[in-house]
Amino acid sequence: MRVFFLFASLFVSLIARVSLAKQRLPHVEFYHIVLVVSAAMMLLAQANHFVLLFVALETLTIGLYILVSYFRTNALTLEAGLKYLVMGALSSSLLLFGIVLLYGVAGNPSLPGHSANSMHFGELADFLAQNPNNFLAGLGIVLVLRASLSKSARFRFRSGYQTYIKVHPRR
């Protein structure tokens, strides 16, 4: 998976040369941000702990906020970047709340299968297998999935990603 992200970043960098030359934008900063986003995607793909997941996801989304609004002369790209940032902040709070719910429920010693290291995905999966009908654990999973999907623009809130689509239509 890491090789895929590496080749994807090389492909984006090659394609961006034309667009950056037309817009007369700085090249070095763009390539640096693409490298950081690529490294964050690599870390995200191998995350097995909630702390690593959160740090990699936040690094990825901050880089994407910058890349969305990189064409600074266009007001719509700046608007899209700002909306994406605000919606990303809301998603981050939902993600953290879901992680805290899962951590608290899985670390509760009164429940069967409680874990001393409930931030690790393997131990959390064991706990969830022993407590499939726990409401707080289910709510935590829903919040974590919802926030993760909205941060990657797979399941959006409403506005930021749509503005980005208006500015950068897929052809």
Side-chain angles (χ1 to χ4, degrees):
M1 196 59 152
R2 290 183 277 173
V3 174
F4 171 75
F5 292 134
L6 179 66
F7 283 121
S9 66
L10 286 173
F11 183 67
V12 166
S13 298
L14 288 174
I15 290 175
R17 288 178 53 192
V18 175
S19 181
L20 291 173
K22 284 182 185 177
Q23 297 289 328
R24 296 190 179 156
L25 291 170
H27 295 261
V28 176
E29 291 87 353
F30 182 84
Y31 298 135
H32 176 72
I33 295 167
V34 168
L35 266 173
V36 169
V37 167
S38 166
M41 285 188 285
M42 290 178 194
L43 283 174
L44 191 60
Q46 67 184 24
N48 62 356
H49 199 271
F50 270 125
V51 174
L52 182 60
L53 173 93
F54 182 74
V55 170
L57 190 60
E58 287 302 310
T59 305
L60 172 67
T61 54
I62 289 171
L64 291 178
Y65 301 153
I66 295 168
L67 289 176
V68 164
S69 59
Y70 196 74
F71 294 101
R72 293 180 290 260
T73 56
N74 188 344
L76 287 176
T77 61
L78 295 175
E79 178 188 355
L82 183 63
K83 285 180 179 179
Y84 195 24
L85 176 67
V86 171
M87 291 299 124
L90 178 63
S91 295
S92 293
S93 63
L94 289 177
L95 178 66
L96 281 177
F97 188 61
I99 290 171
V100 166
L101 274 177
L102 288 171
Y103 178 71
V105 170
N108 187 354
S110 65
L111 293 174
H114 74 279
S115 170
N117 186 12
S118 55
M119 297 288 266
H120 192 272
F121 294 158
E123 293 188 25
L124 185 62
D126 293 339
F127 170 78
L128 292 173
Q130 292 181 11
N131 299 292
N133 296 326
N134 191 316
F135 175 74
L136 289 177
L139 181 62
I141 290 171
V142 167
L143 288 174
V144 166
L145 288 176
R146 172 70 169 97
S148 299
L149 292 174
S150 67
K151 284 186 93 49
S152 64
R154 298 288 176 246
F155 187 81
R156 54 186 178 242
F157 281 111
R158 273 306 274 165
S159 58
Y161 187 70
Q162 289 177 341
T163 305
Y164 175 73
I165 292 299
K166 288 178 189 174
V167 174
H168 306 286
R170 295 179 187 158
R171 294 180 185 164

